[in-house]
Amino acid sequence: MNYCSHCGHALSMRIPDGDNRIRHCCDNCGTIHYANPKLVLGTLPYEGQRVLLCRRAIEPRHGFWTLPGGFMENGETLSEGALRETDEEAGARVEIGPLFSVLDVVHVHQVHVFYLARLLSLDFAPGPESLEVRMFAENEIPWDDIAFRTTAMTLRAFFDDLRQGTFMLHTGRVQPAHAPHAPHGPL
Amino acid sequence: MNYCSHCGHALSMRIPDGDNRIRHCCDNCGTIHYANPKLVLGTLPYEGQRVLLCRRAIEPRHGFWTLPGGFMENGETLSEGALRETDEEAGARVEIGPLFSVLDVVHVHQVHVFYLARLLSLDFAPGPESLEVRMFAENEIPWDDIAFRTTAMTLRAFFDDLRQGTFMLHTGRVQPAHAPHAPHGPL
């Protein structure tokens, strides 16, 4: 961020009056430009003991498998955004269920939120951002080819809960990939 | 948003290739500037059957009562942000508990998230953004002077759950103030 998006003047980095953090400040028009984490919304579409995954047709992680999801847009609720992404990426019709995982991904300034979503039909099809969409039982999940760690965490929680017979809300934090306890690759 | 924050060129509004929404696009450097909802984090600090509220020293809603909360910052988790706001606005030491409410406030592009938080001490004090901080039993809550509807919804859910003897996760959506079913004033 170099220029003021309001007036076009060059920005300076300083702590504004009454604040305690360095911000991008415009000394011309006075606008302070805050940067805040973004929400990534998705679903875990399932039928019985199988889940739906999409193989990504876009970067990052082209060719890797993921749950349908993407950035929340202005003008929608959390569940509307999750449903929109499920339709766009997998062409899947689901009945949205409860919040299932809420995961901090601090190093990329994101919070990932997944809803349980019961598939209403197995008549789905990849959208432009997916190469392929298919159902997986637990023993078929391509763990080494999962795109994001929040996907892997959410899938593991689902199959654990399925064995326990009750679905819970799962919260947690993804460590950076270079951290000692990062188990599943990037993001 | 009028100018590209990357290169300073005037922006145009159009649907980028491969997208389906109008975005702020820079025809000089190619940057697409996305606008996404922001997270507002807070706690519901309680001791026994009483909760802590802050009277706001800043706009919006100067002089009205609220739970401690504010915008999530880059570099923190949801619970770290909620704790930071609780310290900054109320000087309160709490033990953070489970996620308690997750509320869509679509018309202002926000998602409000509150954690249950057990007060570790009644030795608190207003920070620079608060005029006053005090404890309220349910029959003392100044319902007509609550700053935001997500505060009122979260407080009502807390006292309902307290009567039931079990705390649950509460999700929902705040309607715009001009909508027919808006019960509790602004935001």
Side-chain angles (χ1 to χ4, degrees):
Chain A
M1 205 186 291
N2 305 306
Y3 298 93
C4 177
S5 57
H6 183 66
C7 77
H9 197 268
L11 293 172
S12 56
M13 299 281 285
R14 59 180 172 79
I15 300 176
D17 288 348
D19 201 341
N20 52 21
R21 292 179 183 236
I22 293 175
R23 312 282 184 186
H24 290 89
C25 300
C26 180
D27 296 324
N28 184 51
C29 75
T31 304
I32 302 166
H33 299 275
Y34 298 93
N36 304 92
K38 290 183 191 281
L39 280 155
V40 171
L41 309 176
T43 60
L44 192 157
Y46 68 97
E47 190 214 47
Q49 312 223 341
R50 294 190 308 159
V51 301
L52 176 150
L53 294 176
C54 306
R55 199 151 73 85
R56 289 172 64 82
I58 54 170
E59 294 294 347
R61 308 293 279 163
H62 183 284
F64 287 75
W65 291 90
T66 188
L67 292 165
F71 286 106
M72 185 177 190
E73 299 277 4
N74 285 347
E76 66 188 8
T77 64
L78 291 162
S79 60
E80 286 167 355
L83 282 170
R84 176 182 51 71
E85 291 287 347
T86 306
D87 178 48
E88 286 177 4
E89 299 193 349
R93 290 198 315 118
V94 297
E95 176 184 66
I96 197 130
L99 266 183
F100 183 66
S101 63
V102 178
L103 302 167
D104 289 293
V105 195
V106 176
H107 60 291
V108 291
H109 312 318
Q110 293 176 3
V111 176
H112 291 200
V113 171
F114 291 94
Y115 286 82
L116 279 185
R118 198 172 60 79
L119 276 160
L120 296 173
S121 154
L122 292 179
D123 184 21
F124 46 73
E129 298 185 359
S130 303
L131 297 169
E132 190 182 349
V133 179
R134 55 163 282 209
M135 301 297 292
F136 292 87
E138 184 174 12
N139 63 8
E140 299 168 329
I141 300 275
W143 293 108
D144 291 341
D145 295 324
I146 296 294
F148 305 113
R149 277 184 287 155
T150 57
T151 303
M153 291 165 79
T154 300
L155 287 171
R156 289 186 198 280
F158 175 79
F159 290 114
D160 284 349
D161 281 6
L162 202 59
R163 269 187 292 278
Q164 302 287 331
T166 178
F167 290 111
M168 295 161 45
L169 175 68
H170 297 268
T171 58
R173 173 182 181 159
V174 174
Q175 299 296 331
H178 53 76
H181 301 298
H184 304 300
L187 196 62
Chain B
M1 206 187 291
N2 305 307
Y3 298 93
C4 176
S5 57
H6 183 65
C7 76
H9 197 269
L11 293 173
S12 57
M13 299 281 286
R14 59 180 172 79
I15 300 177
D17 288 348
D19 202 341
N20 51 21
R21 292 178 184 237
I22 293 174
R23 312 281 184 186
H24 290 89
C25 300
C26 180
D27 297 324
N28 184 51
C29 74
T31 303
I32 302 165
H33 298 274
Y34 298 94
N36 305 93
K38 289 182 192 280
L39 280 155
V40 171
L41 309 176
T43 61
L44 192 156
Y46 69 96
E47 191 213 46
Q49 312 223 341
R50 295 190 306 158
V51 301
L52 175 150
L53 294 176
C54 307
R55 200 151 72 84
R56 289 172 64 82
I58 53 171
E59 294 296 345
R61 307 294 279 161
H62 183 283
F64 287 75
W65 292 91
T66 189
L67 292 166
F71 287 106
M72 186 178 189
E73 299 277 6
N74 285 347
E76 67 188 7
T77 64
L78 292 161
S79 60
E80 285 167 354
L83 283 170
R84 175 182 52 71
E85 291 288 346
T86 306
D87 178 48
E88 286 177 5
E89 299 192 350
R93 290 199 315 119
V94 297
E95 176 183 67
I96 197 127
L99 267 183
F100 183 66
S101 63
V102 178
L103 302 167
D104 289 293
V105 195
V106 177
H107 59 291
V108 291
H109 312 318
Q110 293 176 3
V111 176
H112 291 199
V113 171
F114 290 94
Y115 286 83
L116 280 184
R118 197 172 59 78
L119 276 160
L120 295 173
S121 155
L122 292 178
D123 183 20
F124 46 71
E129 298 186 1
S130 303
L131 297 168
E132 191 181 348
V133 180
R134 54 163 281 208
M135 301 298 292
F136 292 88
E138 184 174 13
N139 63 8
E140 299 168 330
I141 300 275
W143 294 108
D144 292 340
D145 295 324
I146 296 293
F148 306 114
R149 277 185 287 155
T150 56
T151 303
M153 291 165 80
T154 301
L155 288 171
R156 288 186 199 281
F158 174 80
F159 289 114
D160 284 350
D161 281 7
L162 202 60
R163 270 187 292 278
Q164 302 286 331
T166 178
F167 291 111
M168 295 161 46
L169 175 68
H170 298 267
T171 59
R173 173 182 182 159
V174 174
Q175 299 297 332
H178 53 77
H181 300 299
H184 305 299
L187 196 61

